[in-house]
């Protein structure tokens, strides 16, 4: 193997461009703590939680509602990860949301359950294993005969396609077209994939030794290899997962297999699963439908319906005739087939377009007809069973290839067109071979693209080698619109100043305007459907064309879909089993109603996305013939599709530990039940509330106690409180999850919330192995430790927009946690040196009050699942409050109070427990010497915040900041050689001016705000208030003052205090307390506090360096101009240099 090739397959190469750490001593200390407590939690089974037993509370003795009230619970899950690799940081980000919520729920004294299974169903594992089978055959068991190992894609590599698609497997048979469908901007796969030529190379990048890779040719080996790694990585992450309830999907676990079969049987009995022909995305190579989880490209893409319009050839262009005439059967009619989404516009056809550089095929579709279209379109059509077209499923007969340039000039009949003598085939540069049939109808009356093109063709007829008159057929009105008249395209092209077909941006905008106006507001003005609204006539016109043999229904994928077996997918019409989601209107309406009125979706984006998918989702194929999974119980030839067996497995979590001890179900669980005992009737009892009778007990051999215990587990843990997922699953899994719960369970068991997160960026860029900007969970935790990783994940973001994991945050957190740990250790060890007695200083009161306020703020953020905000309050703001208290008490010489310092340490550990549990546990047990784990401690309580003290704290913060900023600004000016009022580096003194009264001009605005304030709802009528202020001519001066009043009122400060012009605290006393600290911080010789008289010209000295001024007659008669700007709550100040004594 070449050195370069070896390097490209080194698993560490995928993270080569991430942050490099040098000194790891502090990190290693923290990781040692984490490992210690992970072992301890596992030994003590801290995260194994059960429902109250039937011995504690007999089954049916109280209702489920009463049970939850007596013993509160939280049940949260994430989408179980797929076992074809190890977890990356994207998985971890999703896991962190339910993990943090579980940690907080424990602190709310709820029994909190976070289980996790391992998803193995579907094509990906089987497809990869089959590739390895072929590669072992080709290259040997250790691939020693592979001619080259490189990372670059070949033109026909993993995601390439071939012109020769080969025969289909035996079976039964990127412009978005629909703006109502919810989509993400890029697929999850596209964001993380790295293309390699062979599967064994991909396995090498996962860190699997080359001599072990051949084992993965057995798909079952994947199921034994990756789940333990997933459990290892999440355990090292500190996840509060109850691993007793884990399992693998597929029939590798016969208990889970029985559960899936029960689910499918019940859905069929309810009429939710049906059998019949329907259009679906299909892989000819695999011989089965290709659903979202089976795709390497094209997740979320569905079938798109077109009208296939038959344009009969009346006269061949000479070049085309030369190519085709010898290939045609005698008496055959030839049709150019155009695919259109707008059959209602066919009255206005003036030509049809082809791509000059596209190669078309002439195909014999039956004994009497031939079609001209692209190979891609013919391949699609061959799987659709259109009567009279390609009669053998998947087979299409090419007679000859025809260059697009040869077709130019051909005369064809355009169905419905007013130009009954025919229209010509003309060239169009933007025709795409990968969309539609490669042949496009031209309706210049209503399509801006078509109008711009025919105008260009007429101008440059000689250049395009056409006759000018071919492009100048009369453009006739066909649709009347209220905004653009009856010639929409010419109107918009002129209005938007579009000069040529190359004005692509304007043309796209014009296209959207024309389509929406025409479809929703347009009226047909020509033909048999004259007078009908376009929205009503569209389908009728299609049927009219079909009935007259001039059109048929043609389908193709909305965009490129590649299966994991590297096959470009088509749309096929198959006899198949499908879930009748949106087609069952009652079911759809129930699901929509729950999303609108019952489900907590946390963000409007998530809610809107779910509603959009429910609106367009119709039927969904629920069976396949290839891959891993459970057999469809009523048609065992098929496997259950991977998104259809993954909808209610949350219910299985509730009883999994009663069924088995291991993920494969080889060892029976608590109930000592065998898989064959889990009949549909047993599942009915456990999950559907079927009556328990002696017959069921006798028939199954399961004890009544075991059955009732399982029923209790389900009744207690359901409904699911939170489902966490990446936003890419809105398009499928999350909606299916809702549908199936609503079909199988009563409303009291329907999911309560869905929390969706965005994709995770790494250091501001998308994660990519190819660019070296990629991290697995294992790599990240080994690099930064669990708590630093968790904190960086919390800091990454909380909405549905893409979040950002910053390695710099994780790295700086190591130092933050280590330093804070050392401070806590030192403080507790030396606590005898701290001040005791009454908490008498203002700094004690401010610090205690700020801690109380932050406790309430952290709780609110955890309750709202806003973890970035919770982290800020619980760690950053909390340590900032301590820092200020420590510094100010040191500056004033009083020192910290022992009780407050220890209270801070205790609260700090508790507040950060959901996010950084290992650090918190260490502080709790080894610094504070508490008797038992912090994981079982309640969230702290605190007195209500004293608003007066809170206002004083904000005053101290703002005033201190203003003073230090002013000094820094002077120094900056001096460094630039500018004139300064004083030299900050020379001895100086500070005078602070505090006013006792407000300016009289503010009185009238006080009255206005009082009238506009609603004391009940703490709101202000801004519209009325702002209108009145505007009439008084003092907006610039008045608005900042009014905004300050509003902020105080809305924050909950008593209206009487605000309107009576009273500060909530004693400003002079506060300044006096601040003076020693300011003196030390600013390096002043003295700090003088002056109470300014009304008018700002004179004042009285009330304090020198924080001490009370005994000389009450010490008036100053000529204060500097800055004193006039002082108002209550907003002091001004004045620096000046002084001459030291003795000089």
């Amino acid at each position: 193997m070449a050195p370069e090739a070896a390097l490209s397959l080194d698993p560490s190469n995928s993270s080569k461009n991430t942050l490099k750490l040098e000194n790891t001593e502090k990190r290693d200390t923290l990781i040692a703590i984490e490992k210690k407590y992970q072992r301890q939690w596992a030994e003590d089974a801290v995260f194994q939680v059960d429902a109250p037993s039937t011995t504690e509370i007999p089954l049916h003795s109280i209702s489920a509602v009463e049970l939850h009230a007596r013993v509160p619970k939280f049940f949260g899950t994430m989408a179980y990860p797929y076992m074809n690799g190890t977890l990356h940081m994207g998985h971890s980000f999703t896991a962190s949301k339910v993990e943090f919520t579980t940690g907080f729920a424990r602190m709310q004294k709820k029994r909190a359950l976070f289980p996790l299974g391992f998803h193995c169903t579907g094509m990906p594992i089987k497809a990869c294993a089959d590739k390895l089978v072929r590669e072992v055959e080709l290259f040997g068991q250790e691939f020693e005969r592979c001619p080259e190992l490189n990372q670059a894609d070949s033109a026909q590599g993993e995601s390439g396609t071939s012109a020769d698609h080969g025969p289909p497997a035996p079976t039964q048979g990127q412009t978005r077209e629909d703006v109502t469908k919810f989509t993400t901007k890029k697929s999850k796969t596209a964001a993380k994939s790295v293309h390699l030529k062979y599967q064994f190379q991909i396995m090498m990048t996962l860190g699997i030794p080359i001599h072990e890779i051949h084992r993965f040719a057995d798909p079952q080996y994947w199921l034994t290899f990756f789940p333990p790694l997933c459990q290892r990585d999440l355990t090292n992450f500190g996840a509060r997962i109850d691993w007793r309830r884990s399992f693998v999907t597929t029939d590798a676990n016969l208990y889970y297999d029985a559960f899936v079969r029960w689910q499918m049987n019940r859905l069929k009995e309810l009429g939710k699963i049906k059998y019949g022909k329907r259009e679906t995305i299909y892989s000819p190579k695999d011989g089965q439908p290709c659903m979202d989880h089976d795709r390497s490209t094209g997740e979320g893409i569905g079938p798109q319906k077109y009208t296939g319009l038959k344009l009969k050839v009346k006269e061949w262009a000479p070049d085309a005739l030369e190519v085709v005439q010898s290939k045609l059967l005698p008496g055959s009619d030839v049709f150019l087939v155009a695919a259109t989404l707008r059959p209602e516009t066919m009255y206005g056809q003036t030509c049809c377009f082809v791509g000059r550089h596209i190669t078309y095929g002439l195909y014999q579709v039956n004994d009497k007809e031939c079609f001209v279209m692209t190979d891609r379109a013919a391949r699609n059509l061959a799987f659709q069973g259109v009567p009279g077209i390609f009669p053998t499923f998947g087979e299409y007969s090419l007679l000859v290839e025809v260059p697009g340039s040869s077709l130019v000039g051909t005369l064809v009949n355009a169905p419905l067109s007013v130009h009954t003598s025919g229209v010509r085939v003309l060239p169009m540069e933007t025709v795409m071979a990968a969309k539609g049939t490669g042949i496009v109808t031209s309706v210049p009356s209503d399509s801006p693209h078509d109008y711009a093109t025919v105008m260009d063709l007429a101008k440059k007829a000689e250049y395009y080698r056409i006759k000018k008159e071919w492009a100048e057929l009369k453009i006739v009105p066909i649709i009347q619109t209220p905004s653009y008249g009856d010639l929409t395209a010419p109107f918009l092209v002129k209005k938007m100043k579009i000069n040529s077909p190359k004005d692509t941006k304007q043309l796209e905008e014009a296209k959207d305007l024309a389509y929406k106006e025409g479809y929703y507001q347009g009226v047909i003005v020509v033909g048999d459907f004259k007078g009908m609204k376009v929205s009503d006539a569209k389908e009728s016109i299609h049927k009219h064309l079909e009935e007259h043999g001039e059109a048929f229904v043609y389908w193709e994928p909305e965009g490129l879909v590649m299966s994991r077996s590297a096959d470009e997918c088509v749309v096929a019409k198959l006899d198949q089993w499908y879930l009748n989601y949106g087609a069952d209107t009652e079911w759809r309406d129930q699901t929509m109603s729950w999303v609108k009125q019952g489900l907590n979706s946390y963000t409007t984006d998530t809610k809107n996305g779910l509603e959009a998918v429910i609106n367009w989702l119709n039927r969904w194929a629920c069976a396949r013939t290839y891959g891993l999974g459970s057999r469809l119980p009523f048609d065992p030839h098929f496997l259950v599709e991977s998104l259809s067996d993954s909808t209610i497995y949350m219910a299985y979590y509730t009883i999994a530990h009663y069924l088995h001890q291991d993920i494969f179900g080889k060892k029976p669980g608590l109930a000592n039940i065998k898989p064959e005992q889990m009949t549909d009737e047993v599942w009915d009892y456990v999950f559907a509330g079927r009556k328990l009778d002696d017959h069921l007990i006798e028939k199954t051999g399961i004890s009544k106690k075991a059955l009732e215990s399982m029923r209790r587990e389900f009744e207690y843990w359901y409904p699911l409180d939170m489902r966490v997922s990446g936003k890419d699953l809105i398009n499928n899994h999350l909606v299916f999850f809702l549908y199936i719960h609503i079909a199988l369970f009563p409303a009291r068991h329907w999911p309560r919330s869905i929390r969706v997160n965005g994709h995770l960026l790494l250091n501001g860029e998308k994660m990519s192995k190819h660019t070296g900007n990629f991290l697995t969970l294992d790599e990240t935790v080994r690099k930064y430790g669990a708590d630093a990783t968790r904190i960086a994940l919390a800091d990454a973001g909380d909405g549905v927009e893409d979040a950002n994991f910053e390695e710099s945050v994780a790295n700086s957190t190591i130092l933050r946690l280590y330093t804070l740990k050392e401070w806590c250790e030192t403080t507790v060890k030396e606590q005898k040196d701290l001040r005791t007695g009454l908490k008498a200083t203002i700094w004690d009161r401010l610090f205690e009050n700020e801690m109380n306020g932050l406790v309430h703020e952290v709780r609110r953020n955890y309750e709202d699942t806003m973890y970035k905000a919770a982290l800020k309050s619980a760690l950053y703001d909390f340590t900032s409050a301590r820092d200020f208290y420590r510094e100010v008490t040191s500056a004033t010489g009083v020192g910290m109070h022992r009780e407050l310092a220890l209270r801070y340490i205790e609260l700090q550990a508790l507040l950060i427990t959901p996010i950084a549990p290992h650090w918190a546990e260490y502080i709790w047990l080894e610094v504070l010497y508490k008797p038992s784990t912090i994981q079982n401690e309640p969230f702290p309580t605190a007195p209500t915040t004293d608003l007066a003290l809170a206002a004083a704290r904000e005053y101290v913060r703002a005033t201190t900041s203003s003073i230090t900023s002013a000094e820094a600004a002077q120094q900056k000016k001096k460094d630039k050689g500018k004139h300064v009022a004083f030299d900050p580096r020379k001895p100086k003194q500070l005078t602070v001016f505090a006013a006792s009264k407000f300016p009289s001009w503010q009185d009238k605005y006080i009255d206005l705000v009082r009238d506009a304030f609603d004391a009940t709802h703490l709101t202000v009528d801004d519209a009325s208030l702002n209108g009145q202020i505007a009439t008084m001519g003092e907006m610039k001066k008045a608005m900042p003052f009014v905004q300050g009043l509003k902020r105080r009122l809305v924050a909950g400060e008593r209206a009487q205090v605000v309107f009576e012009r009273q500060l909530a605290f004693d400003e002079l006393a506060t300044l006096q307390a601040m003076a020693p600290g300011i003196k030390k911080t600013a390096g002043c010789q003295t700090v003088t506090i002056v109470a300014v008289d009304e008018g700002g010209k004179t004042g009285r000295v009330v304090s020198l360096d924080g001490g009370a001024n005994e000389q009450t007659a010490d008036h100053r008669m000529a204060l500097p101009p800055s004193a006039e700007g002082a108002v209550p709550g907003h002091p001004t100040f004045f620096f000046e240099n002084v001459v030291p004594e003795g000089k």
Side-chain angles (χ1 to χ4, degrees), residues 998-1040:
F998 289 90
S1000 58
W1001 66 265
Q1002 296 178 351
D1003 292 343
K1004 55 182 175 290
Y1005 296 105
I1006 289 282
D1007 294 335
L1008 290 178
V1009 176
R1010 182 186 285 112
D1011 293 340
F1013 177 61
D1014 181 343
T1016 303
H1017 300 97
L1018 297 182
T1019 59
V1020 176
D1021 184 351
D1022 286 325
S1024 173
L1025 179 62
N1026 294 343
Q1028 293 181 73
I1029 294 173
T1031 65
M1032 302 174 77
E1034 296 180 312
M1035 286 286 286
K1036 188 173 182 180
K1037 179 169 67 170
M1039 284 308 293

Side-chain angles (χ1 to χ4, degrees), residues 318-383:
D319 289 349
L321 180 62
E322 185 178 340
V323 173
V324 305
Q325 61 182 349
S326 64
K327 303 295 182 180
L328 293 172
L329 294 177
S332 291
D333 291 326
V334 180
F335 299 87
L336 272 66
V337 177
T340 179
L341 294 167
R342 302 194 64 189
E344 71 277 8
T345 65
M346 293 303 96
Y347 293 104
Q349 295 176 83
T350 64
C351 65
C352 84
F353 295 127
V354 296
R356 290 186 297 174
H357 306 296
I358 294 174
T359 298
Y360 295 88
L362 177 67
Y363 300 92
Q364 191 78 45
V365 298
N366 56 46
D367 293 342
K368 296 182 179 180
E369 293 182 331
C370 295
F371 285 176
V372 176
M373 54 176 53
T374 59
D375 175 78
R376 174 185 167 279
R379 181 173 181 251
N380 257 286
L381 187 55
F383 290 94

Side-chain angles (χ1 to χ4, degrees), residues 1056-1089:
Q1056 180 181 357
V1057 172
V1058 175
F1059 293 135
E1060 294 303 321
R1061 318 275 271 165
Q1062 299 171 2
L1063 290 180
F1065 58 95
D1066 186 330
E1067 182 175 14
L1068 290 176
T1070 303
L1071 284 170
Q1072 186 172 330
M1074 292 172 61
I1078 294 173
K1079 180 179 179 180
K1080 183 174 181 180
T1081 302
C1084 295
Q1085 298 282 314
T1086 60
V1087 175
T1088 303
I1089 311 298

Side-chain angles (χ1 to χ4, degrees), residues 330-592:
S332 291
D333 291 326
V334 180
F335 299 87
L336 272 66
V337 177
T340 179
L341 294 167
R342 302 194 64 189
E344 71 277 8
T345 65
M346 293 303 96
Y347 293 104
Q349 295 176 83
T350 64
C351 65
C352 84
F353 295 127
V354 296
R356 290 186 297 174
H357 306 296
I358 294 174
T359 298
Y360 295 88
L362 177 67
Y363 300 92
Q364 191 78 45
V365 298
N366 56 46
D367 293 342
K368 296 182 179 180
E369 293 182 331
C370 295
F371 285 176
V372 176
M373 54 176 53
T374 59
D375 175 78
R376 174 185 167 279
R379 181 173 181 251
N380 257 286
L381 187 55
F383 290 94
Q384 292 173 15
V386 180
I389 298 175
F390 296 139
T392 302
F393 184 83
E395 294 184 7
Y396 54 107
S397 176
L398 173 68
L399 299 178
V400 68
E401 292 183 337
V402 186
S405 57
S406 298
L407 293 171
V408 173
T410 297
L411 182 69
V412 296
N413 176 65
L416 296 185
S417 174
V418 297
H419 298 290
T420 55
S421 59
V423 301
R424 295 287 176 173
V425 177
L426 300 179
M428 188 183 204
E429 298 303 315
T430 55
V431 173
M432 294 185 293
K435 193 169 185 63
T437 60
I439 297 169
V440 181
T441 60
S442 173
V443 184
S445 59
D446 287 78
S447 167
H449 283 91
D450 295 353
Y451 180 75
T453 299
V454 296
M455 291 297 102
D456 189 59
L457 289 170
K459 288 179 186 177
K460 304 175 183 176
E462 186 175 346
Y463 170 79
Y464 288 110
R465 299 181 182 180
I466 64 170
K467 293 181 180 180
K468 185 176 182 181
E469 57 267 27
W470 292 350
E472 291 186 327
L473 295 188
K474 184 179 179 181
I475 299 173
V476 297
I478 58 172
I479 296 173
Q480 179 72 43
T481 65
S483 300
Y484 312 131
D486 59 7
L487 290 172
T488 294
F491 178 92
L492 286 170
V493 167
K494 182 178 180 180
K495 180 181 178 182
M496 299 176 70
K497 299 180 180 179
I498 297 170
N499 297 314
S500 82
K502 295 181 180 179
D503 295 334
T504 53
K505 183 177 180 181
Q506 299 99 305
L507 281 169
E508 279 300 315
E509 184 180 348
K511 173 188 172 183
D512 288 343
L513 293 172
Y515 179 78
K516 289 177 182 177
E517 177 81 5
Y519 183 77
Y520 294 108
Q521 305 294 330
V523 175
I524 304 290
V525 297
V526 64
D528 294 344
F529 301 92
K530 182 178 180 179
M532 288 183 67
K533 291 187 65 175
V534 169
S535 56
D536 296 330
K538 181 173 184 172
E539 191 60 32
S540 298
I541 293 173
H542 169 87
K543 288 180 179 177
H544 173 85
L545 288 164
E546 201 169 1
E547 289 167 359
H548 286 75
E550 296 177 315
F552 56 90
V553 176
Y554 168 73
W555 296 83
E556 69 178 28
E558 293 171 305
L560 177 66
V561 177
M562 297 297 297
S563 75
R564 292 185 184 270
S565 58
D567 186 31
E568 182 176 354
C569 293
V570 300
V571 170
K573 193 165 187 177
L574 304 173
D575 280 323
Q576 60 184 285
W577 294 102
Y578 60 87
L579 280 153
N580 203 34
Y581 287 127
D584 184 331
T585 55
E586 182 180 357
W587 194 14
R588 180 196 65 205
D589 292 346
Q590 270 190 308
T591 306
M592 181 66 83

Side-chain angles (χ1 to χ4, degrees), residues 12 14-21 762-763 771-775 783-784 807:
S12 65
S14 63
S15 58
K16 64 183 179 183
N17 290 327
T18 60
L19 189 66
K20 303 297 184 290
L21 302 189
L762 178 58
N763 302 321
T771 62
N773 191 52
F774 187 88
L775 284 172
K783 190 173 187 178
Y784 298 110
E807 288 190 274

Side-chain angles (χ1 to χ4, degrees), residues 52-254:
S53 71
T54 54
T55 302
E56 295 174 73
I57 304 175
L59 192 66
H60 307 311
S61 62
I62 59 176
S63 69
V65 173
E66 293 171 317
L67 179 62
H68 292 151
R70 186 181 299 183
V71 188
K73 63 90 181 179
F74 168 80
F75 180 23
T77 65
M78 62 177 282
Y80 47 21
Y82 198 76
M83 291 294 101
N84 60 346
T86 55
L87 301 183
H88 56 67
M89 287 307 292
H91 293 116
S92 315
F93 182 58
T94 298
S96 72
K97 301 306 181 186
V98 66
E99 161 63 18
F100 298 156
T101 309
T102 302
F104 178 62
R106 293 179 67 95
M107 301 189 79
Q108 293 175 297
K109 302 313 289 180
K110 297 177 181 179
R111 297 193 187 188
L113 175 61
F114 176 16
L116 189 71
F118 308 107
H119 195 198
C120 308
T121 308
M123 279 186 57
I125 289 174
K126 184 70 167 65
C128 292
D130 287 352
K131 289 178 188 176
L132 288 173
V133 169
R134 293 192 293 272
E135 290 169 16
V136 169
E137 291 173 353
L138 281 172
F139 304 129
Q141 183 167 296
E142 296 189 12
F143 312 98
E144 61 273 9
R145 296 194 300 273
C146 180
E148 60 178 356
L149 297 175
N150 60 72
Q151 193 172 3
D153 277 326
S154 66
Q156 303 297 332
E158 179 82 12
S159 60
T161 59
S162 170
D164 180 12
H165 300 287
T171 179
Q172 273 280 66
Q174 253 344 107
T175 297
R176 201 158 54 117
E177 300 296 348
D178 188 345
V179 296
T180 67
K181 292 190 178 182
F182 180 85
T183 63
T184 56
K185 291 185 178 178
K186 58 179 179 289
S187 75
K188 176 176 59 179
T189 306
K192 67 184 181 184
S193 63
V194 56
H195 297 296
L196 295 170
K197 189 172 182 179
Y198 298 111
Q199 181 63 39
F200 80 87
Q201 294 174 306
I202 296 174
M203 307 304 288
M204 291 176 71
T205 68
L206 295 176
I208 297 169
I210 197 164
H211 62 274
E212 293 284 334
I213 292 175
H214 71 276
R215 296 175 180 267
F216 291 86
D218 176 3
Q220 298 303 319
Y221 186 71
W222 298 65
L223 279 61
T224 64
F225 186 85
F226 285 112
L229 298 183
C230 176
Q231 181 170 347
R232 175 204 69 187
D233 293 349
L234 284 167
T235 299
N236 292 341
F237 181 64
R240 302 171 176 89
I241 293 174
D242 185 347
W243 293 110
R244 298 175 304 157
R245 300 172 187 262
S246 299
F247 54 87
V248 294
T249 63
T250 79
D251 54 7
N253 183 319
L254 294 178

Side-chain angles (χ1 to χ4, degrees), residues 1096-1114:
K1097 303 296 184 183
T1098 61
R1100 179 174 58 85
V1101 176
V1102 296
S1103 173
L1104 289 170
D1105 297 336
N1109 182 24
E1110 301 298 334
Q1111 302 177 29
T1112 56
D1114 187 2

